[in-house]
Amino acid sequence: MATNLPLIALLGNPNSGKTAIFNLLTGMNQKVSNYPGITVEQRRGNAQLADNSTVEIMDMPGTYSLTPESLDEKIVAQQTLKWLNGTDRPAAIISVVDAGNLSRNLFLTSQVMELGIPVIIALNMMDRLKRRNQEIDSVKLQKMLGAHAVIPMSAQEKWGIDELQAELTDVITKENIEVCSHIQMKIPEEIEKIINPVSKFLHNKSDRDNYITNVQALRLITRKSAFDLFCECENLNGAEIKSLTLLRDKAIHEIDELGLNHRILEATLRFEMLDNTLKNLSLINQNEIKHQSRSERVDEILTHKWLGPLIFLTLLYGIFQSIFIWATIPMQYIDSGVGYLGNYCVQLFSPGILRDLLVEGIISGVGAILIFLPQILILIFFMTILEDTGYMARVAFMMDKLMNKIGLQGKSVLPLMSGYACAIPGIMATRTIDSWKERMITIMVLPLMSCSARLPVYALMIGAFIPNKPILGFLNLQGLTMVFMYFLGTVTAMIIAAIISRFIEEKGKSSFVMEMPPYRMPLAVSLFRQVYMRGKLFVKNAGKIIMAISIVLWLLASFPRPESNTTSFSIQNSYAGKIGHAIEPVIAPLGFDWKIGVGLITSFAAREVLVSTLATLYNVEDEGDDFIGITEALKNEVNPSTGLPRYTPLVALSIMVFYVYAAQCMATFAIVKNETNSWKWPLIMIAYMMGLAYIASLMVYQGGQMLGFV
Ligand code: GDP
Ligand code: MG
C-alpha cells in the first residue's frame, strides 16, 4: 500500500466500534498485520472518498486514555508523542465515541484534541440512542468541543459513513486548518505553581504552547508510566532523567501535602472539566437509567455467584457438543471430496513416484486436516459471539477474584479463552494486561488451553475409540470426553499459574479497571468477517506447514526404496520407521508405538499434523491404490505381539492426555520469544510442558492397565 497517501488515525475506547468503522471505510481493501482475534497490531487500509481521492486509514488499539499503563495504551501513547514531535503526523484523527457513554469516551477525545491535529468525532452507536428516544445535538457538541466535526452515525446500521467521508475530504483538501480545542482543563493556581518547575524543564526540551506543556507535566507527575515513556521517547540522557525525577518527586510531595492524590490528578481535573462541559448538553434522560438497569438485571443472573459459572460451563458444553453435531455433514462432504480427488488422480496418472507423492503425500495429508476446518470455524464463530456480545467481559469480571488467587487477573480470562481457538492470538491479547508478572504467567500457561489444533487429534481419537454412549440420558460419553480434555488443560493451567506466580518477581503492580460494555447484538458482517479471516489464517499458515510436512513425511516414509522390485517395500524399513523405532522404547510405557512416535515428532510443526502423519503412514503402508479411511485403518491395526487391536480406548486416552500437555507448536514459541523478548521463557515453556505430558500419559496408561483397562 502506498504510504504517501494522507494518513487518518482511528482512535477510541475499546468496543466503541473502531474496527466496524474501519471496515466500513476500507471495505476489503485492508492489510491486517496482526494475528486473528484482538486488534493489537495496527491495521491499515485504503479508503476511497467521494471525490475519488484516497486516504490511508490506521486502526489503533482501543484505549481509555493516553496514559501508557498497559501495553496497548503504550502503543497509542508512544504514537501520539511522536505526532506531537512532528513524526508521521496524520492529516486527521477520527475519534470514535460511543454516544451512549459520552463522558467516559470524551476523556480520551479531549486528550487527543490537545495534539494539534484536526479531530473528527465519529459519534457512533447512535442507533441505540435513537431506540431509546434520545438525541444528541451534534452541532452544539462540535462547537463546545472545538472539534473539526461531529458526525452522528451507526456502524451497525451503516449510516453516517458518507458524512464521515465528506469530512475526511474536507480535512485533506483544506490547507492550514485551524485546530483548537475548546475544552481545556482548568489547572488551579496552586497546582500550576507546583508543576511549574517540571513544565519549565519540558518547555526547555521542546518549545510548545503553555497549556500543552502543562498538560504534559501533569501527566508525567500523575503517572510513572507516562514519565518513563516520555524519557524514552524524548531520548533524555542520564543527567536529564535524574534532574527531571527530582523535580517530579518534589512536585508529588507537594501535591500530596495539599491533601490531593497525585496519582489521579489529571483524571480528576479532566473529568471535572468534562462534567462541566456536558452539563450544558442536555441529553441524558431517564431512559438511560432504566436501560442500564435492564443490563444490570441480566448481569445479576449472568454474574451470579454460582449461577454465573454454571451458565458459563453449560455454554461451553453446549458449544463443544454442537461442534460435533453441526460439523458432521460438511466433514462428510470434504471427506468424500478428498477421496474422490485421490481416486481421480490415481486414474489420471500412471503409477510412479510422482503419483505416489501427489496422492499419498499431498492429497491424503492435506485432506486429513482440511476435514477439521468446519469444527474449527464453528469454534471461532462461538468465541467471537461471546466476545462481541459483551459476555466475555462478564466472565472476566466473575473470574477476577478466582484469578487473583492463582496470580492472574480478570483480564487474563479473555486471552486464556482465545487460547481455546489458538494460543497465538491469545498470547498477543495478553498485551492488555497491565502487570508484567500477571502477563508473564498468563503467557506461560496459555498453551495449556486446548487450542483448535488439538481438536483434530481429540476428534479422531474420540470418534474412533470412545463409544457414542448416552450418559444420564442427556449427556454423551464422546462429548464428555471432549469436555474433559478441555477441563484438564484448563485446570492444569490454573495450578501451574499458582505455582509460577511464586517464582516470578513483581515488576510494577496492576490496577484492575475493567470495562463492562453493555450487552450488544453482534454485527453479522463483522462476525462472519472474523470467522473468515481467522479461518483463512488457519488454512494459510497451517496449510503451508502441513503441505511441507506431508511431503517431507512422505519422503521419509517412502524412502529408501528397496533395491529390487521383487522385495515389497515396507515402511518399517523407511527413514520414518527408523526414527519412530528409535524412540519407541522411550514412549512404549505410554502405550505408544513407533507410528505414534513419528507423529509426535511431526507434531512439532503443529499438533494437528499427527492426523495427517497417521494418514500418510497408513496410506503408504497400504499397498493398494484405494484410500482407506484413517479411522478404519486405526481400528484395524493389530499389535503383532498380542494379536489384539493396537489402539484401545486406553491408548487413545493416553494420546489425548499427551496432546493436552505437550509443547508441540513452533509458531507458539516464536510468538512467546517475540512477546517476552527472550529465549528463557519459551525454553522453560517447552521443558515444563513436555515433562508434564510424559508424566501424565505415563500415569494414565500405566494406571489404566493396573486398574484392568486395556
Ligand atoms: P472496537 O473495539 O472499537 O474495534 O469495536 P468493534 O468495531 O469491534 O465493535 C464492538 C462491538 O460493537 C461489536 O460487537 C460491534 O458489532 C458493535 N458495534 C459497532 N458499531 C456499532 C453501532 O453503531 N451500533 C451498535 N448497536 N453496535 C455497534
Ligand atoms: Mg477493534
Side-chain angles (χ1 to χ4, degrees):
M1 251 168 233
T3 47
N4 49 5
L5 296 171
L7 184 65
I8 311 287
L10 266 172
L11 279 163
N13 288 183
N15 275 312
S16 55
K18 282 181 310 305
T19 304
I21 291 176
F22 178 76
N23 287 339
L24 282 178
L25 285 172
T26 60
M28 290 305 272
N29 194 2
Q30 44 181 268
K31 200 172 88 182
V32 189
S33 50
N34 64 331
Y35 279 83
I38 323 290
T39 325
V40 168
E41 297 300 321
Q42 285 177 12
R43 310 212 288 164
R44 283 165 181 262
N46 289 355
Q48 196 90 27
L49 302 179
D51 65 343
N52 262 334
S53 54
T54 309
V55 291
E56 189 178 13
I57 315 257
M58 179 164 99
D59 188 11
M60 307 210 17
T63 55
Y64 297 105
S65 79
L66 292 185
T67 307
E69 223 67 62
S70 73
L71 255 167
D72 265 1
E73 288 166 349
K74 193 173 166 189
I75 293 171
V76 175
Q78 207 160 14
Q79 195 68 256
T80 54
L81 276 179
K82 265 197 211 153
W83 296 343
L84 210 51
N85 285 335
T87 321
D88 302 331
R89 255 170 105 83
I93 293 171
I94 300 176
S95 177
V96 182
V97 163
D98 173 357
N101 236 321
L102 261 192
S103 74
R104 201 193 51 200
N105 277 251
L106 286 179
F107 187 89
L108 175 67
T109 307
S110 74
Q111 290 184 323
V112 166
M113 285 180 57
E114 286 156 2
L115 299 170
I117 299 168
V119 173
I120 298 169
I121 295 178
L123 205 53
N124 197 30
M125 314 244 177
M126 281 301 286
D127 53 307
R128 295 181 53 237
L129 258 79
K130 285 216 167 19
R131 246 173 273 142
R132 284 183 259 147
N133 286 325
Q134 289 179 316
E135 262 304 336
I136 291 179
D137 186 342
S138 58
V139 178
K140 196 166 168 188
L141 186 61
Q142 186 263 326
K143 292 215 173 89
M144 272 166 32
L145 302 177
H148 184 77
V150 174
I151 314 287
M153 64 177 297
S154 163
Q156 183 164 55
E157 295 180 349
K158 298 202 179 65
W159 52 265
I161 205 80
D162 290 345
E163 289 81 349
L164 183 62
Q165 286 184 334
E167 289 302 336
L168 289 180
T169 311
D170 187 58
V171 147
I172 60 166
T173 45
K174 268 191 198 152
E175 270 171 42
N176 296 329
I177 298 179
E178 191 200 340
V179 182
C180 127
S181 166
H182 292 174
I183 41 169
Q184 301 201 336
M185 289 181 280
K186 280 198 187 56
I187 302 176
E189 222 168 276
E190 67 263 36
I191 291 180
E192 184 156 6
K193 226 182 271 162
I194 293 173
I195 67 174
N196 193 287
V198 177
S199 298
K200 262 195 189 141
F201 183 100
L202 300 184
H203 195 76
N204 287 338
K205 276 302 286 182
S206 49
D207 187 17
R208 294 196 186 105
D209 99 33
N210 267 341
Y211 178 69
I212 302 297
T213 312
N214 274 341
V215 170
Q216 270 210 316
L218 205 56
R219 193 166 301 154
L220 300 194
I221 293 168
T222 299
R223 305 302 305 187
K224 177 74 160 61
S225 56
F227 177 85
D228 291 338
L229 187 70
F230 179 84
C231 295
E232 189 187 316
C233 289
E234 302 277 328
N235 280 322
L236 297 194
N237 62 35
E240 286 172 319
I241 293 177
K242 211 165 163 189
S243 60
L244 189 56
T245 307
L246 284 176
L247 293 177
R248 177 174 184 262
D249 289 345
K250 183 160 171 288
I252 287 175
H253 182 72
E254 287 170 11
I255 289 165
D256 290 347
E257 266 194 346
L258 279 181
L260 298 168
N261 183 353
H262 76 271
R263 283 193 190 81
I264 53 169
L265 197 56
E266 187 191 350
T268 313
L269 294 176
R270 206 174 275 281
F271 270 125
E272 200 177 281
M273 173 268 294
L274 282 174
D275 287 346
N276 279 332
T277 312
L278 292 177
K279 243 195 345 228
N280 300 321
L281 197 74
S282 51
L283 45 93
I284 309 300
N285 63 24
Q286 281 310 103
N287 290 343
E288 172 89 358
I289 295 152
K290 246 186 242 152
H291 182 87
Q292 289 236 322
S293 69
R294 179 153 36 117
S295 190
E296 273 166 19
R297 249 176 309 171
V298 177
D299 273 344
E300 250 167 46
I301 301 170
L302 289 187
T303 62
H304 186 267
K305 216 171 22 195
W306 50 267
L307 214 51
L310 198 70
I311 293 172
F312 182 49
L313 280 180
T314 314
L315 258 173
L316 279 186
Y317 177 78
I319 288 174
F320 294 130
Q321 193 65 48
S322 43
I323 285 176
F324 269 111
I325 297 167
W326 291 359
T328 316
I329 290 172
M331 284 171 78
Q332 280 165 358
Y333 277 117
I334 295 176
D335 191 31
S336 45
V338 169
Y340 176 80
L341 188 66
N343 280 329
Y344 182 71
C345 290
V346 166
Q347 283 157 23
L348 199 63
F349 303 108
S350 49
I353 289 190
L354 226 55
R355 186 182 86 174
D356 288 357
L357 169 67
L358 188 65
V359 175
E360 292 166 357
I362 298 176
I363 296 179
S364 111
V366 174
I369 285 307
L370 217 53
I371 195 171
F372 293 101
L373 192 62
Q375 293 186 334
I376 290 167
L377 292 183
I378 295 171
L379 180 69
I380 293 172
F381 175 79
F382 281 119
M383 286 294 154
T384 312
I385 290 185
L386 293 190
E387 220 176 288
D388 278 5
T389 47
Y391 179 68
M392 274 301 192
R394 270 72 187 184
V395 174
F397 171 76
M398 263 191 309
M399 302 302 220
D400 195 49
K401 264 212 189 110
L402 184 72
M403 300 302 267
N404 278 337
K405 283 203 187 105
I406 54 171
L408 297 172
Q409 55 160 279
K411 278 186 187 167
S412 309
V413 174
L414 182 62
L416 289 174
M417 294 286 141
S418 309
Y420 284 136
C422 175
I424 291 166
I427 286 167
M428 310 229 19
T430 59
R431 289 182 179 195
T432 53
I433 300 172
D434 35 31
S435 133
W436 178 86
K437 173 176 170 173
E438 285 163 2
R439 177 163 182 246
M440 233 20 89
I441 300 172
T442 311
I443 290 178
M444 287 304 278
V445 302
L446 212 143
L448 289 174
M449 311 303 285
S450 271
C451 66
S452 54
R454 283 153 169 120
L455 207 55
V457 179
Y458 299 158
L460 178 70
M461 291 299 154
I462 290 177
F465 299 105
I466 306 296
N468 190 357
K469 254 198 331 219
I471 294 207
L472 295 176
F474 64 101
L475 298 172
N476 170 297
L477 189 58
Q478 290 189 330
L480 276 180
T481 308
M482 178 73 92
V483 171
F484 177 73
M485 292 305 147
Y486 280 80
F487 178 77
L488 189 63
T490 311
V491 168
T492 310
M494 306 287 139
I495 296 171
I496 300 284
I499 296 173
I500 299 181
S501 74
R502 283 162 202 261
F503 290 101
I504 300 187
E505 260 175 66
E506 190 84 48
K507 273 193 200 169
K509 54 183 181 308
S510 84
S511 57
F512 181 75
V513 185
M514 185 160 266
E515 153 82 322
M516 204 58 108
Y519 288 104
R520 228 173 253 150
M521 220 26 210
L523 270 179
V525 180
S526 89
L527 179 62
F528 284 104
R529 192 191 296 265
Q530 284 251 42
V531 173
Y532 169 76
M533 294 249 237
R534 294 191 200 184
K536 193 172 96 180
L537 239 134
F538 175 80
V539 171
K540 235 172 65 184
N541 289 1
K544 271 185 236 150
I545 301 172
I546 289 162
M547 172 92 78
I549 295 283
S550 295
I551 293 173
V552 170
L553 212 78
W554 174 82
L555 287 173
L556 286 178
S558 313
F559 293 89
R561 290 264 167 182
E563 270 158 30
S564 75
N565 283 335
T566 47
T567 48
S568 79
F569 174 71
S570 159
I571 191 166
Q572 301 261 359
N573 308 319
S574 71
Y575 296 122
K578 286 190 183 113
I579 301 173
H581 284 297
I583 62 167
E584 193 166 28
V586 183
I587 56 174
L590 316 182
F592 303 167
D593 65 350
W594 62 273
K595 283 180 185 166
I596 299 289
V598 178
L600 294 186
I601 292 163
T602 56
S603 287
F604 264 102
R607 294 177 178 86
E608 68 270 27
V609 173
L610 173 74
V611 177
S612 57
T613 301
L614 290 177
T616 310
L617 283 175
Y618 281 101
N619 270 324
V620 172
E621 196 176 41
D622 176 58
E623 287 285 81
D625 281 333
D626 279 324
F627 264 66
I628 294 190
I630 177 165
T631 306
E632 288 307 309
L634 291 182
K635 279 183 179 165
N636 293 338
E637 175 80 347
V638 170
N639 186 341
S641 58
T642 59
L644 294 169
R646 162 75 74 189
Y647 294 94
T648 61
L650 186 61
V651 174
L653 206 61
S654 174
I655 291 174
M656 284 189 278
V657 168
F658 192 89
Y659 274 76
V660 166
Y661 291 130
Q664 284 168 315
C665 175
M666 291 187 303
T668 301
F669 308 128
I671 289 291
V672 174
K673 154 87 182 30
N674 263 359
E675 293 289 314
T676 61
N677 206 8
S678 89
W679 279 109
K680 184 174 110 187
W681 297 108
L683 287 177
I684 294 177
M685 186 184 265
I686 294 178
Y688 98 76
M689 287 178 74
M690 277 308 186
L692 212 57
Y694 191 86
I695 293 168
S697 274
L698 190 70
M699 275 163 39
V700 167
Y701 189 68
Q702 297 299 335
Q705 282 198 320
M706 265 191 264
L707 293 175
F709 295 102
V710 284

